[in-house]
Amino acid sequence: MKNVQVIDGAINTAYNIYGISDEDFELMFPNGHDIEFIEDFWDRVGDKEATRITEFMWNNLFRKSDIHGIHGTLFYELKPQKVHLYPTKRFSDDPSTTR
């Protein structure tokens, strides 16, 4: 099981953490990526598979105090604002993480 943080464009976004299987995580975050945009995920895997994975994910909300790490971040409705920050879809792309 992998932990995915969901960040959406809402002002009151909760930054919730959801669980998905290791296999579905690989579909959502291929090639070692840890950043994904919902539009790209949906386009890559198609409606049927994306619906299956996200419906499972929505039913597996974790309390933040119970998890041990975040394996991936899924952005909703933020691609225009964020895509330039993550050209390789890796958290390490974010300039605020370099010291």
Side-chain angles (χ1 to χ4, degrees), residues 47-88:
D47 289 349
K48 183 178 179 182
E49 193 72 347
T51 298
R52 178 188 67 77
I53 292 169
T54 55
E55 284 180 356
F56 178 87
M57 186 176 74
W58 299 140
N59 289 313
N60 284 291
L61 175 65
F62 292 156
R63 291 189 330 207
K64 292 175 186 171
S65 60
D66 291 341
I67 67 158
H68 301 285
I70 298 171
H71 301 101
T73 300
L74 181 63
F75 288 107
Y76 268 77
E77 302 173 355
L78 291 169
K79 187 174 180 180
Q81 298 94 320
K82 300 283 188 182
V83 70
H84 71 282
L85 296 173
Y86 305 102
T88 65

Side-chain angles (χ1 to χ4, degrees), residues 10-24:
I11 292 172
N12 65 341
T13 190
Y15 305 99
N16 284 332
I17 310 293
Y18 298 90
I20 62 174
S21 72
D22 291 353
E23 295 81 15
D24 288 344

